[in-house]
Structure formats: structure tokens, C-alpha cells
Amino acid sequence: MKPTVMIVEDEASLVTMLRYNLEKEGYLVTEASDGEEAMTVADETRPDAVILDWMLPRMSGIEVCRQLRRKAETRSVPIIILTARSEETDKVRGLNVGADDYMTKPFSMPELVARVRALLRRAKPSQQKGQLTFSDIVLDMDSHRVSRGGQYIHLGPTEFRLLQYFMERPGTVFSREELLNGVWGPDIYVEPRTVDVHIRRLRKALNTNNGSDVIRTVRAAGYALDSTGDQAA
Ligand code: CA
């Protein structure tokens, strides 16, 4: 089946150009011209990748990105954010909204298409095999098993979901609130401190066999899955 790319952009001429180039590449294209519509179209069409403009009417691209990341169905969809100026790109990076790539307008169409292709390629294998890997850690989504260095590790259901969330986006720093939204869900009320408790359990389980610490604590910011380990101490 052809992958579906959703374009979220209010500038009609750019949408036409994007659609033309993506269809030429063999993708199915869906579109939304504002943030609210984007959430509806994403629900209905389950895109394989999203091209998202930062400046949108009603809801900003940043907010759309956050909301897509909060929903289980779109949590790991690759997202490329389009920004008008390079300062905006810096801001998007700084905000850490969970986008996979950024392009500054005006951009070259072949380059954008190439980046979409790369993101789709990266996203595919792990979904097909139902496995995520990070360093020597393997998480199998079908059997709900985790191993490190070939040795089975026992995790509680919350720690499993937490680890899966990290492994889908390695290197990204998540605040406690983002983790609560992404792992527990936006409608469930839990104390932010609960996150620390589960992080501690996850760490302990992962380090059972004297493995190096892969969860980085970022002071005043949150946590990330990282091979550099804890730098807050
Ligand atoms: Ca726009």
C-alpha cells in the first residue's frame, strides 16, 4: 500500500506544489488548511507522515504537533515542521515539541521529498517487526518483552509503556507533564511525582545486570533516553 502523507498548510499554492511533488513520488496525499482540521484528518486518514506548517490559523503547528504526539494513533508518526524563518526553526527546536525534522521556507521541493522518504524509511522497519531497539535494549511490542544484552528484563506495565515511549523517540527530552500525557494519557490525573517513581523503577530494572544508565535526568526539564546517562548528579 502507498504511504499517506498529510499536508497541513493554509497557503493554497504551496499545498498544490507539495501535493504534485509527493504524488509524483508515489504517495497518497491528504490535506488540512488549519490545525483543527488537521486533527480531524489525522484521525480519519491515519497518515504515515505529516508535513506541518508552523503558522496556521486557529491552532499553531506547534500545538498540532503536541496534540498528535498525545494521541496513541499518531504518537510516533514522523512530522516535518515548516517554518518561515530560521529563528522560528531555532524556536521549534528549543521548544522540543517532538517534531522529527524542520525545514525553513523557502525550501527545495526535491529536498523536502527526500526528507519525507528518509523519515518513512526510518519509521517502517520497527513498525513491521514490532520491535524497538536502543543500544543493547530490545523491546518487543507483540510479546511485551524487554531484553538487555540478550537477558530478559521484567518490567511492570507502566514501566513498559514508559520505555516504549522513550525508545520511539530516543534522545528527546520529555518533561514530566509530557510523559504523563504521552504514557498515562491526557485525561488521567496523576501527580507529576508519579513519573519520578516509575522512572526510578524503570532505571533499576534496566540496570539489573550492571548495564550503564540510559535514562538521562535533565535538571528542571525532564528525562530522555540517552546513551550518555545521568548528568544531573
Ligand atoms: Ca502558513
Side-chain angles (χ1 to χ4, degrees):
M1 225 179 90
K2 290 180 179 178
T4 303
V5 179
M6 177 170 80
I7 305 168
V8 189
E9 168 63 86
D10 57 323
E11 207 178 305
S13 57
L14 184 53
V15 174
T16 308
M17 269 219 301
L18 284 165
R19 175 182 275 282
Y20 172 80
N21 282 279
L22 291 165
E23 284 179 346
K24 205 171 67 178
E25 190 70 16
Y27 300 128
L28 292 172
V29 174
T30 57
E31 52 185 77
S33 56
D34 67 57
E36 284 171 23
E37 196 188 352
M39 297 311 297
T40 314
V41 174
D43 261 348
E44 287 165 358
T45 65
R46 299 287 167 86
D48 299 291
V50 177
I51 297 172
L52 179 60
D53 187 32
W54 150 290
M55 290 292 282
L56 288 169
R58 294 208 270 211
M59 198 197 291
S60 77
I62 303 302
E63 189 49 35
V64 174
C65 192
R66 286 204 175 109
Q67 293 204 13
L68 287 172
R69 287 289 175 250
R70 257 173 230 162
K71 302 184 73 155
E73 303 80 29
T74 48
R75 182 174 294 163
S76 51
V77 67
I79 299 174
I80 300 181
I81 290 196
L82 305 178
T83 69
R85 293 182 299 273
S86 59
E87 305 97 82
E88 283 181 356
T89 310
D90 294 342
K91 212 164 154 193
V92 179
R93 283 206 190 98
L95 284 170
N96 218 328
V97 288
D100 300 270
D101 207 350
Y102 315 88
M103 288 201 84
T104 307
K105 293 177 182 178
F107 51 83
S108 104
M109 228 14 109
E111 193 185 339
L112 179 87
V113 172
R115 292 208 197 174
V116 170
R117 203 188 306 129
L119 283 178
L120 284 168
R121 206 169 31 221
R122 247 197 279 158
K124 264 277 156 52
S126 66
Q127 279 169 7
Q128 279 173 343
K129 282 196 293 183
Q131 271 191 354
L132 296 167
T133 46
F134 179 82
S135 172
D136 56 348
I137 302 166
V138 179
L139 180 146
D140 190 301
M141 287 178 278
D142 304 317
S143 66
H144 266 244
R145 280 181 165 241
V146 175
S147 65
R148 182 160 197 193
Q151 290 200 287
Y152 174 64
I153 286 173
H154 178 75
L155 289 182
T158 304
E159 286 74 39
F160 182 89
R161 287 206 308 276
L162 198 53
L163 180 63
Q164 180 177 345
Y165 193 76
F166 278 128
M167 287 180 78
E168 280 165 350
R169 324 198 57 75
T172 310
V173 179
F174 295 105
S175 67
R176 287 172 182 80
E177 226 145 84
E178 284 170 319
L179 290 172
L180 282 175
N181 274 324
V183 178
W184 279 260
D187 308 321
I188 294 170
Y189 181 76
V190 245
E191 287 276 337
R193 276 199 42 212
T194 310
V195 175
D196 301 339
V197 174
H198 289 279
I199 291 274
R200 216 175 299 138
R201 284 188 200 155
L202 176 60
R203 259 205 182 114
K204 199 174 163 213
L206 289 175
N207 300 346
T208 308
N209 302 312
N210 299 319
S212 63
D213 198 359
V214 290
I215 297 170
R216 179 160 60 101
T217 305
V218 184
R219 198 172 279 265
Y223 297 101
L225 184 70
D226 226 314
S227 47
T228 53
D230 197 332
Q231 295 180 336

